[in-house]
Amino acid sequence: MKITLVRDDLEKEVEKDLELDDGSTVKDLLEEQGIASEEVLVSIDGTVVSKSRVLEDGDSIRVFDVIAGG
């Protein structure tokens, strides 16, 4: 399946098209891309989703860094 990944690390935004195995989850994608799942939020078509969400062909995935402070 083909998906589009947009990685927004607050300094720049990088978009790339990826080919994944059917049944891949958001967590699988993050691991494959070397992105720590505890440090990001993921949205698909504008809706924040869980890391267990199964990806579908044509999904547009945006990965944002989480910022915390105090």
Side-chain angles (χ1 to χ4, degrees):
M1 91 178 109
K2 292 182 181 182
I3 59 120
T4 300
L5 171 66
V6 178
R7 177 71 167 106
D8 184 346
D9 68 3
L10 303 175
E11 292 182 16
K12 65 181 176 190
E13 194 174 282
V14 177
E15 181 176 324
K16 55 182 160 180
D17 294 323
L18 300 172
E19 187 77 34
L20 299 174
D21 294 332
D22 288 344
S24 293
T25 64
V26 169
K27 185 177 179 184
D28 296 333
L29 168 67
L30 296 175
E31 288 176 359
E32 182 179 298
Q33 294 298 306
I35 300 170
S37 64
E38 305 81 25
E39 299 175 5
V40 296
L41 287 175
V42 178
S43 71
I44 297 178
D45 300 322
T47 302
V48 174
V49 297
S50 75
K51 308 300 189 297
S52 63
R53 160 82 151 61
V54 175
L55 299 171
E56 298 176 9
D57 190 49
D59 277 345
S60 179
I61 297 139
R62 186 172 286 268
V63 178
F64 301 91
D65 284 352
V66 176
I67 298 179

